[in-house]
Amino acid sequence: MASQLMPLELIDRCIGSRIQVIMKGDKEFSGVLSGFDDFVNMVLEDVTEHDYDGTTTKLSKILLNGNNICMARHTLNSNFVLSRTDCGDSAGFCLAAALKAGYHCSALARTPSKLSASMTAKGVSQETQDRYLTITQGDIRNSEAVERTLVINGAVVDTVVSGVGATAIKFVFSLYPMVLADETICRDAMTNILAALRAVTASSTAQKPLLIPVSTTGIPAPGKPRDIPLLWIPFYKWLLHSPHVDKEVMDSLVRQEVRKPESERAIRASVTVRPSFFAGSTKGWQSLRVGTDDEPARGYFTERQDVGEWMFEKLIKGEPEREWVDGGVHLTH
Ligand SMILES: NC(=O)c1ccc[n+]([C@@H]2O[C@H](COP(=O)([O-])OP(=O)(O)OC[C@H]3O[C@@H](n4cnc5c(N)ncnc54)[C@H](OP(=O)(O)O)[C@@H]3O)[C@@H](O)[C@H]2O)c1
């Protein structure tokens, strides 16, 4: 006989997880379910209230009357992060913040054991990792592994964060002496992610994912103003020439994608994150200066943890601001 799951048992399984609750009338809430009773009155924490006029309000805790609940669902907010295996990566800090907040996450890593150790070092308990994190072993150029990472429990993830970048450089005797060991990693990664997204969203009616590639400053979109301080120009144009050529191609692939008609896109939207040079120690994500493609925040340095946590707070947990969508957001200290 097929096993049955009773409604209260199903809700019980969501304790500690982020859920979306649609109320009678014109309100919707998302938050972490911390308790409920036999009448399905619910207590949510870390809540965002969405009104249908588009406004959102943050609340630390609320009690919802079960009589007014139309529908509750485990949110498809699982995000997909390509993450470095040591402790110093921006996408990894974003992943750690999402796991700690109870988001189901799927990550592609070349060495899963090292990613898991990195999450532990970032304060994510083994219990949380076991409950919320699925790691797929693979290379970003392996289409099958990327497609597998994009689907959790049969549903396509709703946010894709890519922090893929070259991890080794070499010096050559030429005008531009510093060259990436893997010179096409960012463009290949983006080509493969978009192709995989196209494949997994083709048969799905759910909304397509938001894509968050981590790019860089120093390569503003065509027609947009300079986004680095004047003193940085020689360093960026000369020493960082090789990584920037690769990232320019990656950025243009994303721009081409969001220019397509909605029905032909593999994503619903993109927010390209442009951090300044990673150096120094964390000052807190709240202390970052934030700019747009039209009005970039020019600065010398930023830091991986602050950028990763900012991405989680502002782009995954919160709604991206309209001026960042299908463009870039510039972050610097
Ligand atoms: N350095 C800077 O100052 C700076 C400033 C702004 C932007 N950025 C760019 O921002 C992005 C994120 O930087 P970050 O420093 O946070 O990242 P990072 O620590 O350099 O990590 C890059 C990640 O890419 C992964 N990767 C590389 N090749 C891969 C492949 N073939 N398949 C799967 N994964 C692969 C690496 O995996 P493994 O862990 O397996 O090696 C690593 O996790 C990068 O593109 C970087 O260039 C850098």
Side-chain angles (χ1 to χ4, degrees), residues 83-85 90 110 139-140 163-165 215 247 277-278 304:
S83 186
R84 193 183 173 92
T85 46
S90 51
R110 293 190 286 197
D139 190 283
I140 193 65
V164 166
S215 183
K247 283 205 180 53
F277 198 73
F278 289 138
R304 289 178 173 90

Side-chain angles (χ1 to χ4, degrees), residues 142-201:
N142 178 335
S143 308
E144 190 271 327
V146 177
E147 282 180 31
R148 239 179 325 123
T149 316
L150 290 166
V151 178
I152 302 180
N153 297 329
V156 178
V157 297
D158 73 356
T159 313
V160 176
V161 179
S162 173
V164 166
T167 48
I169 53 168
K170 58 189 182 192
F171 286 90
V172 294
F173 191 72
S174 90
L175 176 61
Y176 301 113
M178 196 193 91
V179 177
L180 298 178
D182 186 343
E183 285 189 76
T184 59
I185 180 63
C186 290
R187 72 189 80 168
D188 292 350
M190 191 48 64
T191 302
N192 224 10
I193 289 170
L194 288 170
L197 277 167
R198 210 173 302 289
V200 297
T201 56

